[in-house]
Amino acid sequence: MKKVHNFSAGPGILPAEVMKQASEACINFNDLNLSLLEISHRSKDFEAVMDEARNTIRELFGVNEDYSVLYLGGGASLQFGMIPYNLLRSNGKAAYLNTGVWATKAIKEAKMLGDTVVVASSEDKNFNYIPKNYTIPADADYFHLTSNNTIYGTQIKQFPNSPVPMVCDMSSDIFSRKVDGNKFGMIYAGAQKNMGPAGTTMVMIHKDLVGKSDRKKLSMMDYAVHIKGESMYNTPPVFPIYVTLLTLRWLKKNGGVQWIEKVNQEKADLLYNEIDRNSLFYGTAEKEDRSTMNICFLLHKTELEPEFDKLWKEANISGIRGHRDVGGYRASTYNAMPIESVKALVEVMQAFEKKFA
Ligand SMILES: *Cc1c(COP(=O)(O)O)cnc(C)c1O
């Protein structure tokens, strides 16, 4: 197989050894001579997977058993609704920081379920920065924020000190850097950006937040029901959970979050330095808010795009076209991306400059 440098924004790159282990489990899981895809989720072999997958999240976030970990279906987008459904009381209030399309979608769902305030927004500049110096209302039931804005390439570098529980969408930068889980009431992430394949969403929630809202709840929408069922109230997405576990094992084996934070910073520095140095390109996000996961950049002369596209395709680079809301290019440098792939992109940018500057 030809080596492709995969900069896809999501579903994103996974470690090659994880892919190999996952494919083996499809044929013969744990030497059972059965596929992982055809055994009961209540078998002891899968229960061990679920236990380890839940415990590893707590371990990597440095939290204790006061936090429950769930692997649910429905994507991060279902959480946009489940959060206010479970956490927003009928006479209460929800507070949100608006930093992009995903946050906007979360706000839309909350507004349908109760009083929702947006404490700050960066919509005025097409979400190219993270708002600072806003006030979080002390009477809110929770404060929702998005740690990394996948589409615009901005990232919260310093989380605020919130007077109310913080709920954070970490879909595109979970375990990319050291984060103390104890600062949050709830953290959630669709697996398919930085942690595993599409099909499951990790939810880590503190027990104090469960059962807060007074509404009558549908079982599948109720965190308490899923917690009581130990994330197996219904058949969980077994394969995405297993591959997520393999990816978390890979992360731990290589040195954990501390290791990957350094690697991710190196990769991001390499590419941002080239964007800033190269006369043909410029970055779109404010420098102090630049994401280490999604690196957005444009050509000064957009008419040169077909020429640049030809060069990077020839170099076996894949997935760097930007989101339609920003245009240009977006290189997603998730945990599993080796620095060699970033070097390959930088070399193409340099060759392009030599030819067209
Ligand atoms: C991709 C993404 C989502 C949406 O995830 P789904 O699993 O497709 O619902 C939500 N938030 C962020 C930050 C994302 O990057």
Side-chain angles (χ1 to χ4, degrees), residues 74-78 80 102 146 148-150 169 171-172 190 192-193 201:
S77 299
L78 179 62
F80 296 163
W102 299 117
T146 314
N148 185 73
N149 299 283
T150 325
D169 177 357
S171 292
S172 53
Q192 71 273 20
K193 307 277 168 50
T201 301

Side-chain angles (χ1 to χ4, degrees), residues 226-244:
H226 289 289
I227 291 168
K228 185 155 175 284
E230 303 197 319
S231 202
M232 294 216 213
Y233 169 72
N234 71 320
T235 317
V238 291
F239 189 64
I241 293 169
Y242 182 62
V243 183
T244 298

